[in-house]
Amino acid sequence: MSSFAMAGQRTTGNRNRRRLSRVGLHIFLIVLAFIFAWPMLYAIYTSLRPYGEIALNPNGFFSTPATLNLNNYFNVWTAGPLPMFYWNTAVVTIPAVLLTLWISSMVAFTISRFSWRFNLLVLMIFTAGNLLPPQVIILPLYKLYNIIPVPAPLSDNGRLYDQFVGLILIHTTFQTGFCTFVLSNYMKTLSKELVEAAMIDGAGVMTIYRQVVMPLVTPALAALATLLFTWIYNDFFWALLLFKTGDKRPITAALNNLGSEFGSDPTQIAAMSVLAAIPTVVLYMILQRWFVRGLTLGSAKG
Amino acid sequence: MDEQEKRVGMLSGGQVTRREVLKKGLIGAAGLTVLPAVIAACSSSATPSPVATITPTTPPAATPTPAGPAVTPAPTTPGAPTFIGPLTGQLTVGSNHSDASEVAGMASIDAAFKTATGLDPKVNKVDHNTFQTQINSYLGATPDDVFTWFSGFRMRFFASKGLATAIDDVWANVSSNYTAGFANAVVGDDKKVYGIPVDYYPWCVFYRKSFFTAKGYTVPATWTDFLALCTKMQSDGITPVAFGDDGGWPAMGWFDILNLRQNGYDFHVGLMTGANKWTDSKVTDVLNLWAKVVPFYLHGYAGLTWQKACDSLIQQKSGMFLLGLFMTGEVATVDAANKTTVLADIDFFPFPFMGNSFDAEKALDAPIDIWMASSKSTTLQADLTNAKAYLEFWSKGSTQVLMYKSQPGFIPTATDADKSSYDVLTAKAVSIVSQAQKITQFLDRDTRPDFAGTNGVGSFFLTFLNNPSQDLAKFQKSVQDFWDKLPVYTGA
Amino acid sequence: MSELEPQALAPAPASAGAGASVSTKRPRHYSLLNRRDKTLLAIMVGVPLAIFVTLIWAMTLVSIVWSFTDWNGTDPMHFVGLDNYTQLFTTYPFFWPAVAHNVMWLLFFICIATPIGILLAVLLDRPLRGSWIYQSIFFTPVVLSLAVVGFIWELQYNAQDGFINSVLMAFNVVKPNSTIDFIGDPSLNIWAVLVAASWRHIGYIMVLYLAGLKSVDPSLREAAAIDGANERQTFIHVVFPVMAPINVVIVVVTVIESLRAFDIAYILNQGINGLELLSTLIVNTMLSEASLIGFGSAIAVVLLVVSLVPIVLYLTRVLRSEDI
């Protein structure tokens, strides 16, 4: 009885305190959100200012802008072949995402639906490999890429090195580890009866994969697709080291090239960074829900 | 003057005699040499190679390749048919010219090449630092047919590893357009020619004339004057020395010149090739000298690019700037962007002298840039004629002047380059180089590339600069230990 | 597997529930089918697996072998025993700093960035007006590439005209020749990089944790509230323990990200002068002018061994709970 009354008192006391703490929480979050957004806002602001004006001002960047314009964007866009870098990114990213989803869904389907003998081993090999730092294998991989022959339409120099197909291959391979893990977990949550019913109806393995399982994992695939796109788009390491042709690099790795071309002018580097960031930020804004779902799929089952 | 002295004289525009070269005999004919045979001496070859290197010299009078076995790079066939003519097929070109001014220069040269031959080269532009750090993986994989590189040990190193194609036939057509100093700079360990020199630039101390006049500063001739001037500038609230060491290589220019001034050319070359040790007390002397100038460096230099340092000179926030003549390219770029004329206000002087016996050497870094043909390019066999035509095209003064017009820091190497287009700075640079008795390429070109790599000597120098008062013996030992662990160089 | 094969080739009439009888009647078809399905499945798993093993694990083995050689990429290879490791552990001056920086990275993430991410998740988990706006802002850095992160933060950090120093100079806190050298000062730059990296890591952790919190059974909290526990107590004693699986994921993500750290340091100064990391050392010694493949491979093996610790811990945990 008394404990009941005390609980009641506590709730009323809490209500006032909670209102107060809610205001405090908002203030805290607003300040923190501003700190988080600041570097991005500042990059955008810098990209709109002419460098000449800043260089001549004794206060440098901490000065009231006399002019704000898009000149830096025009300069960057015309000086470097930016449309080509975006195109390179598309040529690598889109096939890599699709291939990864296709392959990992097949593998996941197999190891999650059937009592496959090496189920555990396969999953371990994929997952552990996916977690390895890529620097561990970069040099042997580079040498291997120079040995493996690749026929003409896929490669213009007969190898994997310096080729889109090579970059697609390593991205697909690395990401397959992650996606297989996620998808096999996801598929295990699907009801077994569906697959069994399909079997009873006489469906073959491929039919079950195509017509029963794939439609059910579409949400997971969509979520993974947004995530994969961002990761592959943002890759710097592989594209930097597995390409020798500057003009073949995807936009993220090309930033390094452009950085030296714009040398000491931070306003153009800012414009370039903003341009490079736009696709993933826009994608994120549109597909926010899928994004978060993709990230959490991987950890839903630990 | 005996025969060899004459030759030396010719190399340097007829002003030089050098007896110690003769005494040594090792370096052979090339008087103004860098890094020469010592490298060969530490290779597996028992006989010291007489091949010499370096020597950008004044191109005043065209000096045909002098007679003498050491200098003559491979048998030449005078009057060989030119490779330049109507061309078909394709050509891939690897370029490290990524700064805005050099990109423009490359564009005009490739346009001119297309006009001359009908062939439009496919240029693979990679930013300068990345091109350099990835050179091994680049040349070992599927390089472009021809590529930009540096003369000196750095050229010979890759040539000796079979990563470059000898171009003696091209050289036969163009050798008359080069002085012997340049000719020597492109000879490999096997005496074959591997490169076409296209430009060079001395490392000097740059400043703004109007700024010096306004502040009443005078150009320092000696190290003491230099330090005094630094102190004065600092008390005037100016950063005495602009310096940006992003990438780790600009500091090498400082070490080079201090070592040359303090210990002389021979010691420096010995150090670069491994004959002398980094634990030598002479290196300690240099580090102690260097420590005196570190407090005068532009604040935050380790995180600044040389372009940023250059900007501080342009903006008169810094007083002096040790760098290659190519810094004028950045000045020109900034001028163009801001519609200013700072370039006309830029002047330079040779690094101040120590007042010792090595003053007479007037040594300095004056690296030569070259074009080379790769060997592992998958298309080179098909494109070979085109590649040779391109290299030959670059040996023309008219071609080199096209680059010079965009990047006034690159002095043409060809004897027939139109000198009337040279600006005051270039003329002065040419004269300073011609007065030098000894010329080095640059630390990372004169020593083995695995020592000069990103986490090699450049990083070591930064650890020194961060704390010049550290235990130098320990520091020097760590550098020497690193050297000692490098794989044995098995050049020709 | 055997349950599935019978019907696959069985024509319509044989259908429902007659699996066992069909299988005894048509043994040949089973085995045919069995083989076909098995082949299909083997291809579906085998090919990707073979590629994966070749590109990832075989290359790892190659790295290990090379670490005992003096190979430089062109000259003949000699086995040199443990020489590379001896040099690494004793005389090479950039190895221990690199290890130290990786450890600092790890500790900074574990002690600061990850807890902040968790805190944000907990704060934003409650019904709060505008919660999704905060979430979006905190998460946006996660979608940026680390290369862009490097450039963006350089605008803040630059010693000459970076924003932070511009403000400090405008208020006369620092002079132009005494600005804070975030990138060039080797005792400071690792912290500057850690802040930039955390900026991205915090949002990542927040989202992961938020999803975990959403999946916690609300009745648990209600029960705790009825028992008189306040929010902090509820979190520490009820929610956090329930979140064990997510916590493992978070720890693994944090550790792996710390070991993989490369891009920001490489963009800022190629990973030298205070920004040495195992990853940048590997790239700089092997894929550079140096081409010290044997030596660089030894560094790669060190990184491999260190990485295997969290990987193995994670896998044993995950796979123990697998119902395979």
Side-chain angles (χ1 to χ4, degrees):
Chain A
M1 192 63 187
S2 62
S3 70
F4 199 61
M6 270 172 68
Q9 274 172 8
R10 194 170 284 160
T11 346
T12 19
N14 276 356
R15 197 165 295 158
N16 286 332
R17 213 182 304 151
R18 203 172 286 165
R19 190 167 300 148
L20 205 94
S21 74
R22 184 151 296 195
V23 173
L25 178 63
H26 271 293
I27 292 172
F28 173 74
L29 288 173
I30 287 170
V31 170
L32 205 63
F34 183 76
I35 294 173
F36 261 74
W38 174 250
M40 290 178 282
L41 297 176
Y42 182 73
I44 296 169
Y45 169 68
T46 305
S47 70
L48 298 173
R49 302 190 63 180
Y51 186 50
E53 183 187 311
I54 298 157
L56 298 176
N57 193 307
N59 280 339
F61 277 88
F62 193 69
S63 53
T64 337
T67 21
L68 289 177
N69 57 39
L70 293 173
N71 283 354
N72 288 319
Y73 288 93
F74 289 121
N75 287 346
V76 172
W77 192 266
T78 47
L82 275 189
M84 187 170 66
F85 292 139
Y86 281 119
W87 171 248
N88 295 343
T89 296
V91 168
V92 170
T93 310
I94 293 169
V97 169
L98 295 178
L99 270 174
T100 306
L101 292 179
W102 179 53
I103 293 171
S104 56
S105 62
M106 285 199 317
V107 177
F109 167 72
T110 312
I111 63 177
S112 66
R113 282 293 130 200
F114 302 101
S115 195
W116 194 250
R117 206 193 227 170
F118 300 111
N119 221 342
L120 189 86
L121 185 70
V122 169
L123 207 57
M124 269 182 78
I125 289 173
F126 275 122
T127 314
N130 177 244
L131 292 174
L132 272 189
Q135 290 84 12
V136 171
I137 61 162
I138 179 64
L139 200 87
L141 191 75
Y142 156 80
K143 293 281 178 193
L144 185 75
Y145 266 38
N146 275 298
I147 297 171
I148 298 178
V150 182
L154 289 174
S155 162
D156 63 15
N157 63 5
R159 319 203 179 176
L160 281 170
Y161 176 69
D162 198 37
Q163 297 300 322
F164 293 127
V165 63
L167 202 55
I168 293 170
L169 177 67
I170 190 64
H171 278 308
T172 306
T173 308
F174 235 90
Q175 302 302 351
T176 295
F178 170 76
C179 291
T180 302
F181 177 68
V182 169
L183 287 174
S184 77
N185 279 342
Y186 192 86
M187 287 177 187
K188 275 173 204 151
T189 64
L190 301 177
S191 98
K192 284 213 157 116
E193 286 84 56
L194 272 171
V195 176
E196 274 156 22
M199 289 172 188
I200 290 163
D201 286 351
V205 173
M206 285 314 284
T207 317
I208 295 174
Y209 165 72
R210 247 185 270 128
Q211 293 176 4
V212 180
V213 175
M214 287 306 272
L216 291 173
V217 296
T218 310
L221 291 179
L224 283 176
T226 44
L227 209 60
L228 285 177
F229 178 85
T230 311
W231 283 347
I232 297 174
Y233 180 97
N234 283 342
D235 164 65
F236 174 72
F237 183 76
W238 297 119
L240 179 75
L241 299 173
L242 293 178
F243 271 115
K244 64 130 209 231
T245 307
D247 286 350
K248 274 188 186 171
R249 288 187 185 157
I251 181 83
T252 306
L255 283 182
N256 220 24
N257 243 352
L258 296 170
S260 111
E261 189 156 342
F262 304 128
S264 54
D265 182 348
T267 60
Q268 300 208 23
I269 291 187
M272 189 182 77
S273 305
V274 171
L275 285 174
I278 282 176
T280 48
V281 172
V282 167
L283 184 85
Y284 163 63
M285 285 176 171
I286 298 172
L287 299 173
Q288 201 166 1
R289 197 162 52 98
W290 294 112
F291 228 101
V292 172
R293 197 179 285 184
L295 272 181
T296 48
L297 270 176
S299 54
K301 185 170 188 204
Chain B
M1 259 195 181
D2 65 24
E3 176 60 31
Q4 273 189 318
E5 279 180 308
K6 261 186 238 157
R7 196 177 307 132
V8 169
M10 279 190 280
L11 295 183
S12 55
Q15 295 153 359
V16 183
T17 58
R18 256 192 76 237
R19 280 201 177 277
E20 61 271 33
V21 169
L22 306 179
K23 279 185 219 141
K24 289 205 167 154
L26 201 163
I27 300 180
L32 315 180
T33 29
V34 183
L35 248 216
V38 197
I39 290 202
C42 71
S43 75
S44 54
S45 157
T47 43
S49 161
V51 175
T53 352
I54 308 280
T55 319
T57 49
T58 46
T63 318
T65 312
V71 178
T72 311
T76 58
T77 331
T82 174
F83 288 97
I84 300 175
L87 298 171
T88 53
Q90 57 152 0
L91 175 67
T92 57
V93 172
S95 163
N96 66 355
H97 293 297
S98 57
D99 290 359
S101 58
E102 298 167 31
V103 171
M106 278 297 290
S108 57
I109 286 168
D110 289 335
F113 184 70
K114 194 185 175 191
T115 312
T117 63
L119 181 71
D120 195 7
K122 207 170 114 199
V123 178
N124 169 24
K125 180 183 70 186
V126 176
D127 68 278
H128 197 92
N129 276 357
T130 307
F131 190 91
Q132 209 159 304
T133 53
Q134 298 191 349
I135 187 68
N136 253 299
S137 46
Y138 170 74
L139 290 181
T142 58
D144 301 294
D145 299 329
V146 294
F147 63 98
T148 48
W149 197 234
F150 316 116
S151 72
F153 186 51
R154 244 177 173 176
M155 178 202 82
R156 300 210 302 278
F157 186 87
F158 292 106
S160 76
K161 296 201 175 299
L163 297 174
T165 300
I167 47 166
D168 295 273
D169 46 357
V170 179
W171 189 252
N173 294 345
V174 307
S175 61
S176 63
N177 205 13
Y178 287 100
T179 55
F182 290 121
N184 286 321
V186 289
V187 179
D189 291 343
D190 57 1
K191 318 269 162 59
K192 289 181 177 157
V193 176
Y194 284 95
I196 299 290
V198 294
D199 65 66
Y200 71 101
Y201 45 85
W203 276 62
C204 293
V205 184
F206 294 84
Y207 66 99
R208 287 192 66 164
K209 286 182 281 191
S210 64
F211 191 57
F212 265 47
T213 315
K215 295 277 179 181
Y217 302 143
T218 50
V219 168
T222 67
W223 175 247
T224 321
D225 294 348
F226 177 75
L227 290 181
L229 178 59
C230 286
T231 312
K232 177 135 186 5
M233 284 181 173
Q234 201 163 50
S235 65
D236 291 348
I238 298 154
T239 299
V241 180
F243 182 46
D245 199 32
D246 187 76
W249 55 266
M252 298 174 189
W254 275 93
F255 181 85
D256 279 354
I257 197 67
L258 287 171
N259 198 27
L260 286 170
R261 288 282 183 272
Q262 173 67 21
N263 297 321
Y265 170 86
D266 290 335
F267 178 80
H268 183 69
V269 169
L271 189 64
M272 295 299 103
T273 55
N276 294 327
K277 301 285 178 205
W278 283 85
T279 44
D280 198 305
S281 68
K282 289 180 169 179
V283 175
T284 320
D285 297 342
V286 171
L287 295 175
N288 282 326
L289 287 173
W290 202 356
K292 290 199 174 110
V293 74
V294 172
F296 299 123
Y297 279 164
L298 179 62
H299 177 70
Y301 60 81
L304 300 175
T305 58
W306 68 263
Q307 289 97 334
K308 271 262 190 298
C310 189
D311 287 2
S312 88
L313 185 83
I314 293 171
Q315 293 159 17
Q316 310 195 337
K317 291 174 182 165
S318 302
M320 297 176 277
F321 187 29
L322 173 71
L323 208 78
L325 188 63
F326 57 83
M327 66 78 81
T328 53
E330 167 72 5
V331 180
T333 305
V334 173
D335 270 351
N338 300 342
K339 301 180 184 65
T340 50
T341 55
V342 177
L343 188 55
D345 193 33
I346 296 283
D347 199 358
F348 61 88
F349 54 87
F351 195 85
F353 296 92
M354 296 292 166
N356 58 24
S357 60
F358 301 114
D359 288 5
E361 288 184 350
K362 296 186 177 172
L364 80 169
D365 275 332
I368 304 167
D369 292 328
I370 63 175
W371 278 89
M372 297 174 72
S374 66
S375 72
K376 302 237 167 164
S377 162
T378 47
T379 50
L380 184 66
Q381 284 322 307
D383 304 343
L384 198 57
T385 312
N386 298 347
K388 288 179 173 174
Y390 192 74
L391 295 179
E392 189 176 325
F393 192 71
W394 264 98
S395 73
K396 294 170 177 290
S398 53
T399 308
Q400 296 173 7
V401 165
L402 287 176
M403 176 58 90
Y404 172 77
K405 279 179 182 159
S406 295
Q407 165 47 297
F410 287 170
I411 307 174
T413 54
T415 308
D416 70 350
D418 175 14
K419 280 146 209 99
S420 67
S421 60
Y422 288 5
D423 59 22
V424 187
L425 284 184
T426 310
K428 184 169 178 178
V430 168
S431 122
I432 284 184
V433 173
S434 70
Q435 285 164 31
Q437 314 286 301
K438 307 283 179 130
I439 293 167
T440 47
Q441 287 284 297
F442 195 68
L443 195 145
D444 63 8
R445 307 186 185 200
D446 290 338
T447 192
R448 41 187 304 170
D450 42 13
F451 180 68
T454 317
N455 273 117
V457 71
S459 284
F460 281 105
F461 283 157
L462 274 165
T463 54
F464 164 74
L465 292 173
N466 288 330
N467 180 14
S469 58
Q470 64 186 287
D471 179 354
L472 290 179
K474 195 174 156 221
F475 167 77
Q476 290 171 253
K477 185 177 178 304
S478 70
V479 181
Q480 187 61 42
D481 283 344
F482 180 64
W483 177 285
D484 291 341
K485 290 289 181 182
L486 295 172
V488 178
Y489 171 57
T490 52
Chain C
M1 181 134 321
S2 58
E3 318 101 332
L4 115 119
E5 278 126 22
Q7 276 74 30
L9 260 198
S15 65
S21 62
V22 171
S23 62
T24 40
K25 277 182 209 157
R26 299 183 168 178
R28 280 187 112 196
H29 281 168
Y30 293 176
S31 54
L32 254 180
L33 196 61
N34 198 350
R35 191 165 300 159
R36 205 195 96 183
D37 269 358
K38 260 196 171 160
T39 314
L40 251 177
L41 293 175
I43 291 172
M44 281 164 81
V45 176
V47 173
L49 190 67
I51 294 176
F52 194 91
V53 169
T54 312
L55 291 189
I56 313 283
W57 291 110
M59 296 304 104
T60 308
L61 282 180
V62 172
S63 268
I64 296 173
V65 173
W66 282 352
S67 74
F68 300 106
T69 71
D70 66 351
W71 200 36
N72 65 3
T74 39
D75 294 332
M77 187 187 295
H78 306 101
F79 280 88
V80 294
L82 292 172
D83 275 12
N84 291 324
Y85 293 94
T86 323
Q87 186 192 356
L88 208 52
F89 295 141
T90 56
T91 60
Y92 190 60
F94 305 112
F95 175 71
W96 290 114
V99 172
H101 295 147
N102 273 105
V103 170
M104 280 162 73
W105 200 293
L106 182 61
L107 290 178
F108 193 87
F109 268 25
I110 287 196
C111 302
I112 297 174
T114 300
I116 292 178
I118 292 177
L119 174 72
L120 288 179
V122 171
L123 291 179
L124 293 170
D125 182 43
R126 61 184 80 194
L128 191 72
R129 190 177 296 220
S131 174
W132 70 273
I133 299 179
Y134 295 126
Q135 286 181 39
S136 304
I137 292 174
F138 294 138
F139 190 72
T140 307
V142 183
V143 305
L144 301 180
S145 73
L146 283 160
V148 168
V149 171
F151 280 118
I152 286 182
W153 279 89
E154 180 153 10
L155 296 173
Q156 301 290 317
Y157 284 147
N158 196 291
Q160 290 297 301
D161 53 18
F163 173 75
I164 299 173
N165 280 311
S166 295
V167 172
L168 295 177
M169 274 192 277
F171 290 104
N172 263 323
V173 180
V174 297
K175 293 263 179 309
N177 58 1
S178 66
T179 52
I180 305 173
D181 188 4
F182 291 105
I183 300 170
D185 184 339
S187 56
L188 196 62
N189 53 13
I190 187 72
W191 300 108
V193 166
L194 285 173
V195 167
S198 300
W199 181 61
R200 196 168 173 274
H201 186 72
I202 289 172
Y204 190 22
I205 296 298
M206 175 197 76
V207 165
L208 288 180
Y209 216 77
L210 206 47
L213 288 173
K214 294 252 186 275
S215 65
V216 171
D217 189 348
S219 62
L220 280 174
R221 292 179 204 225
E222 281 159 25
I226 288 169
D227 286 350
N230 65 25
E231 270 183 76
R232 194 189 306 155
Q233 288 165 333
T234 312
F235 179 75
I236 293 173
H237 298 294
V238 180
V239 179
F240 194 78
V242 179
M243 298 269 289
I246 286 281
N247 293 335
V248 172
V249 171
I250 300 251
V251 169
V252 170
V253 164
T254 304
V255 174
I256 294 291
E257 292 281 311
S258 311
L259 294 173
R260 276 188 183 174
F262 173 83
D263 303 28
I264 299 184
Y266 198 80
I267 282 278
L268 284 182
N269 72 358
Q270 289 187 291
I272 59 172
N273 190 41
L275 293 186
E276 293 87 358
L277 294 166
L278 288 173
S279 59
T280 60
L281 275 194
I282 292 169
V283 171
N284 286 339
T285 46
M286 293 203 290
L287 276 166
S288 70
E289 268 197 273
S291 195
L292 298 171
I293 292 173
F295 186 61
S297 296
I299 310 174
V301 170
V302 172
L303 182 59
L304 170 71
V305 170
V306 177
S307 308
L308 282 178
V309 174
I311 291 175
V312 168
L313 283 178
Y314 178 61
L315 284 184
T316 47
R317 191 174 167 106
V318 167
L319 297 176
R320 211 186 301 144
S321 65
E322 286 291 323
D323 47 347
I324 293 172

